[in-house]
């Protein structure tokens, strides 16, 4: 991936966009939030058929398409644009982690199912919470130099994004790998998670901007469209610039996978999405606060994505560290 996408990458993103548009993803996300993961799992199956979950699986393993971070960045931008529910970021991060462990780990046993979409996964680093542990088929806990599969999880808590829930993994379970190579693989997987989260945030930002532009073209005041006011145009233009500034950073990070590059892309995309959310809320007026409007699906994602897998402060530290 350079400054421009290849024909194959454009076709891939167009195919995902068409598939997710036809799949009524907002309805699947609302059902997921209400405790019915059925429509979301059906969507998950179609994403797996498109190869999304095989993009972080080495070709040496059944179903793997190779380690392809640029395609992951493109795919997750579309997943964010369509508000796809579930532990999609964590599943790809787990695939990257297991692939990094290689034959010393349980990669051969678990990676084919992850690539095929038959297994969903989430990951907790340290003693904290795991996202979507109640719907994931595999809950991994990485603590120091040990990686284990948790036998379950504790009480489920709501998060800032109603579509996602938090739970602490249960203690114990099978130790899948141990040693210094586990800590290195976890750092590698965290980089993939940050990249995918940044891409998802970028997609959320574009979705919010698209819906806001469409709304201000329809809404009238003093007999003219709200979108014709200069102040509104400036606000939308600033939002677009922030998103367009973040996109090449994301593409560059996908090429290098350097920690500092991924952190720069993550913080830029997260802040741009958060700006898009504030713009959308202001320009939609009071209707923007209503949960019934699909806009809420993206509004409630912007801030959690900005902070997940690397807060802005942490990302800036990594950028300054230059590693």
């Amino acid at each position: 991936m350079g400054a421009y996408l290849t024909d194959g990458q454009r076709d891939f993103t167009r195919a995902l966009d068409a598939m997710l548009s036809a799949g009524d993803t907002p309805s699947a996300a609302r059902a997921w939030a209400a405790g019915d993961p059925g429509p979301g799992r059906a969507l998950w199956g179609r994403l797996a058929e498109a190869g999304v979950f095989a993009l972080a699986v080495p070709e040496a393993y059944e179903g793997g398409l190779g380690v392809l971070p640029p395609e992951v960045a493109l795919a997750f931008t579309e997943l964010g644009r369509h508000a796809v529910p579930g532990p999609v970021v964590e599943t790809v991060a787990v695939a990257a982690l297991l692939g990094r462990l290689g034959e010393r780990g349980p990669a051969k046993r678990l990676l084919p199912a992850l690539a095929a979409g038959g297994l969903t996964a989430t990951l907790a680093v340290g003693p904290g919470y795991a996202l979507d542990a109640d719907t994931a088929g595999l809950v991994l806990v990485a603590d120091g130099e040990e990686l284990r599969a948790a036998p379950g999880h504790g009480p489920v808590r709501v998060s800032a994004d109603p579509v996602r829930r938090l739970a602490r993994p249960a203690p114990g379970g099978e130790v899948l790998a141990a040693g210094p190579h586990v800590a290195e693989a976890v750092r590698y997987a965290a980089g993939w998670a940050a990249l995918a989260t940044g891409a998802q945030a970028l997609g959320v930002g574009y979705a919010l901007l698209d819906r806001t532009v469409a709304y201000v073209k329809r809404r009238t005041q003093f007999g003219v469209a709200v979108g014709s006011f200069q102040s509104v145009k400036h606000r939308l233009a600033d939002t677009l610039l922030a998103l367009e500034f973040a996109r090449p950073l994301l593409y560059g990070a996908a090429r290098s996978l350097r920690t500092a590059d991924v952190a720069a892309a993550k913080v830029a995309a997260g802040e741009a999405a958060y700006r898009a959310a504030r713009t959308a809320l202001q320009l939609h007026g009071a209707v923007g606060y209503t949960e019934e409007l699909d806009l809420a699906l993206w509004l409630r994602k912007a801030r959690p994505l900005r902070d997940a897998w690397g807060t802005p402060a942490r990302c800036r530290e990594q950028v300054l560290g230059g590693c």
Side-chain angles (χ1 to χ4, degrees), residues 78-174:
E78 292 305 312
L79 267 56
R81 192 191 292 269
H82 290 274
V84 171
V88 285
V89 166
E90 289 73 23
T91 294
V92 167
V94 166
L97 191 162
L98 295 176
R100 196 71 165 186
L101 288 175
E103 293 301 326
R104 289 175 293 181
K108 189 173 182 179
R109 173 157 58 100
L110 297 172
L111 280 178
L114 288 170
L119 179 64
T120 60
T122 190
L123 173 65
V125 178
Y129 287 92
L131 279 163
D132 292 316
D134 56 323
T135 56
L138 175 67
V139 180
L140 292 188
V141 179
D143 195 358
E145 296 184 351
E146 181 182 278
L147 180 70
R148 64 180 174 87
H153 58 81
V156 176
R157 300 174 182 271
V158 297
S159 75
D161 178 0
V163 180
R164 310 208 70 184
R165 288 177 288 273
L166 297 164
R168 288 189 186 279
E174 178 188 359

Side-chain angles (χ1 to χ4, degrees), residues 219-243:
R219 184 186 169 202
T220 60
Q221 196 172 37
F222 310 120
V224 297
V226 170
S228 65
F229 299 151
Q230 199 68 12
S231 59
V232 172
K233 290 179 180 178
H234 284 167
R235 187 75 189 263
L236 293 169
D238 287 345
T239 302
L240 177 61
L241 282 175
L243 292 167

Side-chain angles (χ1 to χ4, degrees), residues 37-49:
R41 291 193 189 284
L43 197 63
W44 193 289
R46 291 195 286 276
L47 288 171
E49 290 174 4

Side-chain angles (χ1 to χ4, degrees), residues 153-211:
H153 58 81
V156 176
R157 300 174 182 271
V158 297
S159 75
D161 178 0
V163 180
R164 310 208 70 184
R165 288 177 288 273
L166 297 164
R168 288 189 186 279
E174 178 188 359
V175 176
L176 299 178
H181 64 294
V182 171
E184 192 281 327
V186 171
R187 283 193 293 272
Y188 177 74
W192 277 75
L195 178 72
T197 302
Q200 213 176 16
L202 188 68
V204 165
Y206 279 120
L208 288 164
L209 179 62
D210 290 347
R211 280 158 179 76

